[in-house]
Amino acid sequence: MPDKVAVRGVWKSFPTDQGPLAALEDVAFGLAEGEFVSLVGPSGCGKSTLLNILTGFERPDRGKVLVDGRPIEGPSQRGILITQRGSVFPWMTVRRNLLFGAGGRPEDERESLVRHYMDLVGLGGFEDSFPWQLSGGMLQRVEVARALMASPELLFMDEPFGALDALTRMRMRAELLQILSRDRHTCLLVTHDVEEAIHLSDRILVMSPRPGTIQCILEVDAPQPRIMSSPRLVSLKERVLRELGLSARAGEPEAGLPVTPPVPTQAGPRGPLSRRRILRRGAPVNPRCADEAERVDAVVVGGGPGGASAATVLASNGLKVLVLEREPFPRYHVGESLLPALWELWDRLDVTRQIEAAGFVVKQGIRFGMFRDPEDVVLLTAEYPAYFPRSYTYHVDRSRFDALLLDNARRKGAEVREGWTVSDVVMRGGWVTGVLAAPNGQPPKPIAADVVVDATGRDCLLARRMGWRRPDPALNKVAHFTQFTGGAVRDVSALIPVPDRIPGSTTTDVHTIHGGWIWYIPLGGDTVSVGAVLDARLAGRLAEDPQAVFERALLDCPKVREALENARQAMPVQTVSGISYINDSFVGNGFVLVGDASMFVDPIFSAGVTLAIRGGVYAADCILDAFQHRDFSARRLKPYETRIRQPMDRIFEMIRHWYAILDGVHEDNMIRRAREIPWLRERLIVLLSGGYEKMDLESFLVAVKAAS
Amino acid sequence: MAAKLPSRDSIDRDFGGIVRPVSRFLPFLVVALLIGLWWWTAASSPIFPTPLAVVAGIIELARNGTLVRDIVHSLSRVAVGYGLALGLAIPLGSLMGWYAGVFRAFNPTIQLLRPISPIAWIPLAILWFGVGDASPIFLIFLSSFFPIVVATASGVHLVERQYVRAAQNFEVGGLRLFRAVVFPAALPQIITGMRVGLGVAWLVVVAAEMVAINSGLGYLIIDARNAGSRYDLVVAGMVTIGLIGFLLDLLMRRLESLKVVRWRYSNAR
């Protein structure tokens, strides 16, 4: 049978400042009538470009796309595209949206079609609702129903469920299968989610990195309904991941060595872990080397926010957790601004009450002073309060905040030893099986553990040992900072509508200066933390006094100087290197990296603590799953990395964008534009509040570039 | 906490004058204080009227029919001038937002004319249209045209691309694309421009009536002063202007709560 769709030798490139950029190179494949095919590939490999060509929105440079043997000429109802961004028209009721897709059919037929498809996607009764009254999952179903109204021969889906939460995504998959079982369309699905591809498709096309080409085609030879945990599909998933360069073996640090499972000879028989074991606190453990080495389920190295969060979740689920922290708490740490996105994580850690009671300074947004513009740009979370459980967060002094999180971990059952140094991990055949540790100054002894959580912060214990550390030279910054007493504090609560108004609340202030920016963070009382982040090249020659560099930076910023007019510097200027990095991998056999030990993000978006706590909680989720399966391999732990890494490329891009803004004193930029463009403002506020998963960063970036 | 999150509506209401019960009495308190202050200063002045005199003035104007006549005249001029502005600004703005060429052709001229206060046009208006209804209407047209044309152009220009592409995917193009997709997508911003335009129009009608014609609220004020220094009637006219302006803005705000534009103003998405 001839293919319904034939893609023949398609090439496509885009002009850029550095000459043409090849996006697709000699892409060729076919889709049979009624077939469901998925396209997976790394970010930026040209999947979306390919879809744009298939739907007729773009033309290939070379090659052609044939539908039923005829070349396509522009977009048409024969092939409808569904995207994750969603294009349901928000100004029309659901019914009118569906009718929009129905084209020139007779009136009564259209009405009955609306009823049919609304029922099919399970939205009967919502015909007269407006899209803004529906949830994300419901909207995506409207999108599908509207597409079906046009009775397309082809359905193209570009990560249709990418913006939905995991549970809704699973449900949508099942529903899509059910819909397609009645109305068999030829489908092409672009997805990042390998499991989704395996669940839905007849065949999977794996694309290579840019310039994209079809690297291999895999058949999914299993009947529906598919059991995703069946050995056949699990090994298929492994195969796809390997093709994508993402499997445990590809990430194996000591390639060449035989992969050994976690030492069964010493541990005795390791049957599947019973659920009871996970839930029971302090259960007896396998007597591996019972008489000499200490043994726990998980060792967390480092008691900062990331480590404490991981320990809290693990201990709450009944695991025996040992936290080793080098410094006795409370220990000094630069004061920091948090993000409203943390409330959801704090709820999970069951620490919300303690944090509320601690009396930290309330932060309701960010103030940007741009290049001496007379008016600051003040962005308040309360302007779009629906995104977060609460529209405020705190400025904390880290010594108290960190101690509070660590105490919480202790209360949830984790054993915390302060003043202990971890000198190294114990490695056996490419597996981490424990750590070497002792109270400071004593000879280290081994402590065995199924999983080691590296939360050593910028020390990057394991990443350095593995050679995974990848500093980003483009973001090589140095921070000089100190604290003042008596700095002016601006109360912003008057700008906030009554229900969200908190008397005395402040903002995190960011002021641009030549070659960098200054933070100004009220920490309570009359103490403010002030720091200058400068490009490493401008941060002063090697021997120069940090105090002098800091004062020079202040000279460049009249607003901060004014605020500090009556203030007294309360401590010497301190200096840290702020070079950003993302390590090559966040997991290995028997270990995970959390917080700064996995990556360090430039402080401009105040994301450090939020990302660390998020990393700790998500790592713990994945480790609990590993305990369920008694499998601590890198492959089992990889979903943690995928989840945590997902928004990072974009966040790094945003940060680079910020530094590009600093170079353009007179130009329009996203911050200045946020004064007048509501949608830009909304997205910027969500981003600055830490809602990295609450919006589509990619489309935001595109929009930002268009705006500036 | 979650239950207490305000909708965008409530924020608008907070800023728009109809306030939450908690602070309901506050605006009245401010008004009362101001009136008190007014009374206190006016009591010692031979010319400046007390609030009571002004109320009496309003009643007098209402009784002899001047007030209603002048309000109707002012409002009908605004209606015609503003209507003309809408009729021209929205199509032109739409074309400018959609076609880069049209934008390039018209934008410099518009940006050049926009900063000129409509008041500055009064001499030319009288020269061209004489003393009559046409002059104020022309000035109102000028004053509301620019905000609307600029808002429409930017609204149409910023229509999110995925909506246009979806429409093209369903083979909808031409006028239907504009009517069903581009215009409604830009409508929230157009309405904002309309609101600004109407506000300016109301400012300008009063000024125009002071010089270019002999009826309307602006004329009422200038006439009350010239014909016997009746400052009670001057202030009565001012109060009326304020109240009507306030009501007009309230009316425009109602437009923003229409269901077809709620998506842009509400937080939902």
Side-chain angles (χ1 to χ4, degrees):
Chain A
M1 191 174 71
D3 282 340
K4 176 83 183 164
V5 179
V7 180
R8 300 228 178 112
V10 163
W11 297 65
K12 180 82 185 173
S13 64
F14 295 102
T16 68
D17 294 342
Q18 287 87 42
L21 177 74
L24 298 173
E25 223 171 69
D26 199 17
V27 172
F29 62 90
L31 302 178
E33 174 105 49
E35 193 184 23
F36 195 119
V37 173
S38 290
L39 195 61
V40 298
S43 287
C45 72
K47 298 182 295 256
S48 296
T49 307
L50 184 57
L51 266 195
N52 283 342
I53 292 174
L54 281 164
T55 43
F57 283 107
E58 279 175 38
R59 290 181 175 280
D61 298 338
R62 268 163 62 196
K64 53 189 164 184
V65 178
L66 305 174
V67 178
D68 291 332
R70 278 199 302 277
I72 48 169
E73 299 154 358
S76 100
Q77 297 202 42
R78 296 176 67 189
I80 298 287
L81 174 67
I82 297 172
T83 65
Q84 82 165 283
R85 235 181 303 168
S87 56
V88 175
F89 303 129
W91 52 84
M92 291 181 185
T93 59
V94 170
R95 178 198 309 280
R96 293 213 29 229
N97 261 290
L98 260 62
L99 290 174
F100 190 91
R105 295 165 200 274
E107 187 71 30
D108 49 342
E109 190 188 331
R110 288 163 58 176
E111 280 302 327
S112 67
L113 272 179
V114 169
R115 255 196 313 283
H116 171 74
Y117 284 114
M118 288 297 281
D119 288 341
L120 188 61
V121 299
L123 281 179
F126 285 94
E127 288 86 348
D128 294 316
S129 302
F130 276 86
W132 43 267
Q133 297 167 320
L134 306 181
S135 71
M138 291 160 91
L139 267 184
Q140 215 55 2
R141 278 181 255 178
V142 175
E143 186 100 34
V144 171
R146 185 179 67 178
L148 295 175
M149 286 288 288
S151 5
E153 296 155 42
L154 309 163
L155 266 184
F156 299 107
M157 292 171 271
D158 191 356
E159 293 187 48
F161 311 138
L164 306 177
D165 63 84
L167 272 178
T168 315
R169 206 153 60 210
M170 304 269 273
R171 203 157 42 218
M172 290 299 293
R173 265 196 232 164
E175 281 180 18
L176 185 64
L177 278 175
Q178 199 204 336
I179 291 166
L180 293 176
S181 68
R182 297 199 217 169
D183 247 339
R184 194 73 207 177
H185 296 81
T186 308
C187 294
L188 183 68
L189 167 78
V190 163
T191 180
H192 271 127
D193 185 342
V194 174
E195 206 159 279
E196 183 171 288
I198 294 175
H199 192 173
L200 295 172
S201 335
D202 302 317
R203 282 188 302 154
I204 297 175
L205 310 180
V206 181
M207 273 182 92
S208 69
R210 193 175 59 213
T213 184
I214 303 295
Q215 183 175 316
C216 73
I217 298 179
L218 301 166
E219 301 261 342
V220 188
D221 187 15
Q224 296 284 5
R226 288 178 181 160
I227 314 291
M228 294 312 294
S229 56
S230 76
R232 197 139 135 228
L233 295 184
V234 168
S235 81
L236 179 66
K237 183 175 172 188
E238 171 62 16
R239 173 80 203 282
V240 177
L241 287 172
R242 202 158 54 232
E243 289 292 341
L244 291 168
L246 282 176
S247 80
R249 286 195 183 94
E252 178 65 45
E254 288 164 40
L257 284 176
V259 176
T260 343
V263 254
T265 43
Q266 290 179 357
R270 289 192 168 202
L273 182 74
S274 75
R275 210 178 165 79
R276 202 162 51 92
R277 163 84 197 290
I278 279 208
L279 297 175
R280 191 150 41 94
R281 182 162 305 177
V285 289
N286 294 329
R288 168 155 63 161
C289 313
D291 42 4
E292 41 180 87
E294 194 180 350
R295 197 180 149 70
V296 294
D297 291 329
V299 165
V300 178
V301 188
S309 304
T312 303
V313 174
L314 293 175
S316 310
N317 283 279
L319 292 183
K320 184 169 177 182
V321 181
L322 175 60
V323 181
L324 301 174
E325 165 60 47
R326 192 171 46 197
E327 317 250 357
F329 270 39
R331 47 112 170 82
Y332 173 74
H333 202 302
V334 58
E336 237 174 285
S337 155
L338 306 180
L339 301 179
L342 278 168
W343 290 109
E344 289 161 31
L345 294 165
W346 286 337
D347 282 345
R348 278 215 53 194
L349 298 175
D350 189 24
V351 73
T352 308
R353 223 161 22 85
Q354 287 89 323
I355 286 172
E356 281 181 312
F360 294 121
V361 177
V362 174
K363 161 194 173 186
Q364 294 207 279
I366 299 205
R367 170 192 297 274
F368 283 99
M370 302 297 293
F371 310 112
R372 308 196 178 185
D373 285 3
E375 218 178 301
D376 294 342
V377 181
V378 183
L379 301 170
L380 302 168
T381 309
E383 292 175 49
Y384 297 96
Y387 284 96
F388 301 96
R390 307 179 193 196
S391 60
Y392 60 94
T393 181
Y394 300 108
H395 289 153
V396 298
D397 67 89
R398 283 284 301 277
S399 49
R400 269 170 67 215
F401 178 72
D402 289 11
L404 199 150
L405 287 185
L406 194 57
D407 280 345
N408 183 53
R410 205 177 258 135
R411 209 167 28 246
K412 296 289 183 291
E415 184 185 347
V416 179
R417 295 183 196 160
E418 294 169 26
W420 273 59
T421 299
V422 173
S423 54
D424 202 354
V425 293
V426 181
M427 271 264 184
R428 251 192 220 113
W431 288 74
V432 168
T433 59
V435 295
L436 292 171
N440 295 345
Q442 293 181 25
K445 287 201 197 107
I447 299 175
D450 290 318
V451 177
V452 172
V453 177
D454 177 0
T456 52
R458 299 166 58 84
D459 291 353
C460 290
L461 175 72
L462 271 156
R464 281 185 207 271
R465 199 180 195 282
M466 299 290 179
W468 287 350
R469 223 165 145 273
R470 285 288 170 272
D472 183 341
L475 290 175
N476 189 4
K477 309 292 169 189
V478 171
H480 299 287
F481 57 92
T482 181
Q483 290 187 358
F484 285 84
T485 51
V489 175
R490 274 189 282 198
D491 183 340
V492 293
S493 57
L495 299 175
I496 294 164
V498 174
D500 284 314
R501 183 178 298 168
I502 298 162
S505 65
T506 64
T507 50
T508 297
D509 296 2
V510 170
H511 295 276
T512 62
I513 54 174
H514 174 66
W517 55 278
I518 288 188
W519 79 65
Y520 188 92
I521 302 178
L523 292 179
D526 57 353
T527 305
V528 289
S529 158
V530 182
V533 178
L534 295 164
D535 196 281
R537 282 160 302 175
L538 295 167
R541 285 169 298 283
L542 224 56
E544 199 173 3
D545 178 19
Q547 178 79 29
V549 180
F550 180 76
E551 280 170 13
R552 202 163 61 225
L554 281 194
L555 273 183
D556 204 14
C557 189
K559 282 183 189 161
V560 168
R561 269 210 326 275
E562 194 185 314
L564 292 175
E565 202 164 21
N566 300 315
R568 203 166 41 78
Q569 190 176 332
M571 58 186 238
V573 170
Q574 312 206 2
T575 303
V576 296
S577 153
I579 188 164
S580 299
Y581 53 80
I582 282 204
N583 294 329
D584 287 351
S585 182
F586 297 177
V587 301
N589 293 323
F591 67 92
V592 300
L593 315 182
V594 160
D596 287 354
S598 58
M599 60 187 173
F600 178 79
V601 182
D602 191 272
I604 177 61
F605 295 144
S606 310
V609 171
T610 308
L611 290 175
I613 294 181
R614 185 167 165 265
V617 170
Y618 291 0
D621 284 345
C622 207
I623 291 170
L624 290 173
D625 177 64
F627 270 97
Q628 290 282 358
H629 295 85
R630 290 309 285 169
D631 171 7
F632 306 102
S633 65
R635 194 183 57 189
R636 176 65 67 185
L637 297 170
K638 200 77 183 175
Y640 153 65
E641 173 167 349
T642 315
R643 192 171 175 195
I644 207 83
R645 207 184 261 278
Q646 210 239 333
M648 290 319 297
D649 288 351
R650 312 269 175 267
I651 292 175
F652 268 75
E653 209 172 321
M654 284 295 301
I655 289 171
R656 284 192 201 103
H657 195 76
W658 161 254
Y659 283 101
I661 284 175
L662 293 187
D663 295 334
V665 179
H666 303 292
E667 281 158 31
D668 243 350
N669 58 51
M670 60 171 173
I671 312 261
R672 280 177 171 165
R673 299 277 288 189
R675 289 201 182 107
E676 67 253 20
I677 306 181
W679 58 260
L680 183 64
R681 189 179 182 88
E682 172 172 352
R683 286 170 170 83
L684 203 54
I685 286 173
V686 175
L687 177 82
L688 292 171
S689 306
Y692 307 126
E693 283 147 347
K694 293 178 197 284
M695 62 164 190
D696 177 9
L697 279 172
E698 181 143 17
S699 67
F700 176 52
L701 267 170
V702 172
V704 159
K705 279 176 191 148
S708 45
Chain B
M1 190 68 202
K4 274 164 54 187
L5 290 175
S7 70
R8 189 53 186 249
D9 287 341
S10 72
I11 295 176
D12 276 349
R13 254 182 278 136
D14 272 350
F15 292 140
I18 305 170
V19 276
R20 298 174 153 270
V22 202
S23 47
R24 177 166 286 167
F25 71 99
L26 278 176
F28 294 104
L29 187 70
V30 172
V31 171
L33 276 174
L34 278 176
I35 292 181
L37 192 69
W38 172 10
W39 214 308
W40 182 66
T41 48
S44 59
S45 158
I47 309 174
F48 189 45
T50 62
L52 198 64
V54 169
V55 172
I58 294 183
I59 293 170
E60 180 190 332
L61 290 172
R63 282 236 174 97
N64 68 22
T66 336
L67 190 65
V68 173
R69 196 200 64 200
D70 284 334
I71 290 176
V72 168
H73 281 183
S74 290
L75 279 178
S76 54
R77 282 174 199 130
V78 168
V80 177
Y82 184 69
L84 285 173
L86 281 183
L88 201 67
I90 291 179
L92 179 64
S94 303
L95 289 173
M96 284 173 64
W98 199 243
Y99 298 106
V102 181
F103 183 82
R104 273 199 298 275
F106 284 90
N107 191 48
T109 314
I110 286 176
Q111 296 304 339
L112 202 77
L113 293 177
R114 196 165 66 117
I116 303 175
S117 161
I119 311 290
W121 287 87
I122 290 179
L124 286 186
I126 294 175
L127 176 71
W128 291 336
F129 301 103
V131 175
D133 273 327
S135 284
I137 287 174
F138 170 70
L139 292 168
I140 290 159
F141 166 80
L142 266 187
S143 60
S144 43
F145 174 77
F146 292 113
I148 302 173
V149 87
V150 170
T152 308
S154 110
V156 168
H157 183 67
L158 289 175
V159 168
E160 293 187 43
R161 214 169 125 229
Q162 76 254 30
Y163 297 136
V164 177
R165 286 182 49 154
Q168 287 169 341
N169 205 168
F170 288 108
E171 296 176 32
V172 168
L175 218 53
R176 176 149 181 246
L177 172 69
F178 183 80
R179 195 168 45 77
V181 179
V182 177
F183 184 73
L187 192 56
Q189 232 177 318
I190 297 178
I191 288 180
T192 306
M194 285 167 60
R195 222 181 100 203
V196 175
L198 188 60
V200 188
W202 188 243
L203 289 179
V204 166
V205 71
V206 173
E209 286 168 348
M210 284 186 161
V211 289
I213 202 160
N214 53 11
S215 68
L217 291 167
Y219 175 75
L220 171 84
I221 288 177
I222 210 76
D223 184 52
R225 196 207 58 175
N226 292 344
S229 290
R230 287 290 305 275
Y231 281 93
D232 54 339
L233 299 188
V234 169
V235 180
M238 288 169 66
V239 170
T240 314
I241 289 164
L243 280 174
I244 293 177
F246 175 76
L247 289 175
L248 285 178
D249 195 57
L250 215 61
L251 209 69
M252 294 305 287
R253 274 176 185 280
R254 295 304 287 269
L255 281 184
E256 289 182 356
S257 60
L258 289 181
K259 279 200 165 175
V260 288
V261 293
R262 271 276 283 286
W263 58 279
R264 183 58 97 191
Y265 301 114
S266 80
N267 294 306
R269 74 190 82 256

